[in-house]
Structures are given as structure tokens and as C-alpha cells.
Amino acid sequence: METQPIIVIKNLYKSFGKNKILKGINLTVKKGENLVILGRSGSGKSVTIKCLVGLVRADKGTINIFGTAITSLNDKELNAIRVRIGFMFQNGALYDSMSIRQNLAFTLKHHTPNLSESAIESQIFEALESVGLKEAIAKMPSELSGGMKKRIALARAIIITPEILLYDEPTSGLDTITAREISELILSIQKKYKTTSIIITHDMACAKMTGDRILILKDGLINAEGTYAALEKSKDEWVRSFFI
């Protein structure tokens, strides 16, 4: 039996002033799938996933997550959905004044305020173990390399054991070897936590390694869709330009 989609976006529009970013996006993501979204800068990739968690409110269209239309929810109802979604921000978005332990604890307490201190500590260690950085627990963000910051940002995203993970440029600014390690982590987390993911990236090596399916945005619309292998052989020159 076909797996039911866990995310369904229909006819999504978003403008900022006169700048029309999304012009009628339609997409679905099946449970357990890694969907990669490609596109030039300004094509609407990041805006799409920010609309998914209500960080940006769409102008028109529907977003259905876990069978619920989130575009009609109030803040309290939206928060009940958000606790099931992890978001890895492009810049890591770690709190510079907090240690790694404090950064992760802050996220946990925000989402599950009734957890005991021992449960918090246990989940912090599990998240750090999942990204291979238990030794960084007492460090400050300023003491970490770019790759380590990405791993901690990923640990923070998974610490709430989300059903959906949203990655915004997870390998940007990293050298080739570290970028590959992050891509491998994305796959190991998909396997360990059975997550459904959307991965926004410019990194074709990351797209090839992590994507079960790839969408390419152009001018606020989905221009192409398929596997990496199929899109690489596309007769459309614009689509092929991503794979050169």
C-alpha cells in the first residue's frame, strides 16, 4: 500500500512587498522520505520550509502536516505541531553565551518543560552521541569549528526526537570532507529516528547522497522533479546546469 504523505503543500504563495517569492508551490513528502529542494538563490527554497513551521506566514495556499491544515491554526495549536518538527538553521543559530549543554537543555525545556533534570541530561548525551560530539558538552560555541557547530545544530534539532526534520543548507561553508560527514549524519539520523526530511541545499554531493527525491525551484515554482540520476540526464539545459 502506498505510504500516505506526511507533508502536503498546495498552491502556496508568498510575497515580500512587491517581491513575489512563491508563486503556487505544490509538493508532497512521504513518511520516511528525504526530499531535497534545489534552486538558485532567491528561488524560494528557505521561504518554503519557513512557511512549514510558521516562521513565515504564507499569503495564500494550504500546508497540511500530520493530517492537519496548519495555515488555519492559532499559535498554541501551531506550537503543538512544532514540537514534532526539528529545524536545522543554516547558521546553526546557537546561543553564544551558553555552553553546548545549556544550548541543548534550553531547547528541551522549551519543548517539554516537565522533564526531570536526569531525563534532560540523558537526552543531551544521546543527541550528542548521535552526532559524534559527546566530548563537546561543556564547550562554548566560540570554541567549535564550523563543522562541529553544524553537528551541534543537528543535535539540537534531533533532541526533541522529531518526526520531521528541516535542514536549511546543512553543508554550507564546509570543506568537502566535513560536508560529506554531515551528509552521512543526515542519512544515519534518518535511519535511527525514522525521520521525514526536507533538505535545502546548493551542495550537489549532499543532494546526491541524501535525497530520495529532488525538486528544483525556478522563479517561485517547481520546475523539475525526480531522482538525482533521472534529473542528471534531463534534456532541459537549465535542469542539467545544476549537475555540471
Side-chain angles (χ1 to χ4, degrees), residues 114-137:
N114 296 321
L115 274 183
S116 67
E117 288 300 320
S118 61
I120 289 170
E121 194 75 357
S122 174
Q123 287 183 237
I124 288 171
F125 271 103
E126 183 182 347
L128 288 174
E129 188 172 43
S130 292
V131 301
L133 273 183
K134 282 196 300 183
E135 73 278 5
I137 190 167

Side-chain angles (χ1 to χ4, degrees), residues 180-203:
R180 181 179 178 84
E181 289 172 351
I182 295 296
S183 296
E184 289 170 347
L185 264 179
I186 290 170
L187 288 176
S188 69
I189 283 163
Q190 179 193 27
K191 185 176 181 180
K192 180 176 180 178
Y193 294 96
K194 306 291 189 276
T195 51
T196 302
S197 302
I198 296 179
I199 302 154
I200 304 296
T201 188
H202 283 94
D203 178 355

Side-chain angles (χ1 to χ4, degrees), residues 95-116:
Y95 296 106
D96 291 336
S97 61
M98 295 182 182
S99 68
I100 300 313
R101 174 188 270 111
Q102 291 168 330
N103 264 280
L104 298 182
F106 181 86
T107 300
L108 259 185
K109 289 174 182 177
H110 177 73
H111 283 84
T112 48
N114 296 321
L115 274 183
S116 67

Side-chain angles (χ1 to χ4, degrees), residues 2 15-16 24 48 58 61-62 91 122 129 137 143 146 148 151 156 194 199 207-208 214 225 229 232 238 240:
E2 183 104 0
S15 296
F16 296 98
T48 300
T62 60
N91 62 2
S122 174
E129 188 172 43
I137 190 167
E143 299 177 80
M148 291 171 78
R151 287 172 179 264
R156 190 175 61 181
K194 306 291 189 276
I199 302 154
K208 184 177 185 178
I214 295 173
E225 175 182 347
E232 190 177 24
W238 187 85
R240 260 204 333 272

Side-chain angles (χ1 to χ4, degrees), residues 16-243:
F16 296 98
K18 293 182 179 179
N19 191 12
K20 295 178 180 178
I21 304 297
L22 304 181
K23 304 174 186 176
I25 293 287
N26 292 281
L27 68 84
T28 63
V29 190
K30 295 174 185 174
K31 185 173 176 60
E33 181 180 28
N34 273 356
L35 176 71
V36 168
I37 302 181
L38 300 174
R40 306 289 187 223
S41 295
S43 60
K45 305 183 301 297
S46 293
V47 172
T48 300
I49 59 170
K50 285 175 180 176
C51 285
L52 271 175
V53 286
L55 291 173
V56 171
R57 290 281 185 173
D59 299 329
K60 193 168 72 170
T62 60
I63 300 171
N64 196 293
I65 303 177
F66 307 123
T68 300
I70 70 157
T71 34
S72 59
L73 300 182
N74 60 36
D75 286 343
K76 184 178 179 182
E77 292 166 331
L78 186 57
N79 282 334
I81 297 289
R82 280 178 176 150
V83 298
R84 301 167 71 184
I85 302 172
F87 198 120
M88 183 179 171
F89 292 92
Q90 182 175 351
N91 62 2
L94 300 174
Y95 296 106
D96 291 336
S97 61
M98 295 182 182
S99 68
I100 300 313
R101 174 188 270 111
Q102 291 168 330
N103 264 280
L104 298 182
F106 181 86
T107 300
L108 259 185
K109 289 174 182 177
H110 177 73
H111 283 84
T112 48
N114 296 321
L115 274 183
S116 67
E117 288 300 320
S118 61
I120 289 170
E121 194 75 357
S122 174
Q123 287 183 237
I124 288 171
F125 271 103
E126 183 182 347
L128 288 174
E129 188 172 43
S130 292
V131 301
L133 273 183
K134 282 196 300 183
E135 73 278 5
I137 190 167
K139 291 183 181 293
M140 302 297 286
S142 60
E143 299 177 80
L144 305 181
S145 67
M148 291 171 78
K149 285 179 182 176
K150 292 278 190 182
R151 287 172 179 264
I152 297 302
L154 187 47
R156 190 175 61 181
I158 64 173
I159 200 166
I160 58 171
T161 56
E163 294 161 68
I164 293 173
L165 269 169
L166 305 176
Y167 298 91
D168 193 1
E169 299 286 2
T171 61
S172 66
L174 302 178
D175 62 80
T176 305
I177 294 172
T178 307
R180 181 179 178 84
E181 289 172 351
I182 295 296
S183 296
E184 289 170 347
L185 264 179
I186 290 170
L187 288 176
S188 69
I189 283 163
Q190 179 193 27
K191 185 176 181 180
K192 180 176 180 178
Y193 294 96
K194 306 291 189 276
T195 51
T196 302
S197 302
I198 296 179
I199 302 154
I200 304 296
T201 188
H202 283 94
D203 178 355
M204 296 306 293
C206 174
K208 184 177 185 178
M209 188 182 295
T210 63
D212 298 312
R213 186 164 52 100
I214 295 173
L215 301 180
I216 304 180
L217 291 187
K218 182 181 183 182
D219 298 328
L221 287 166
I222 293 168
N223 177 265
E225 175 182 347
T227 63
Y228 185 98
L231 291 173
E232 190 177 24
K233 295 172 185 172
S234 172
K235 294 179 181 178
D236 184 314
E237 285 188 19
W238 187 85
V239 170
R240 260 204 333 272
S241 71
F242 284 85
F243 297 84

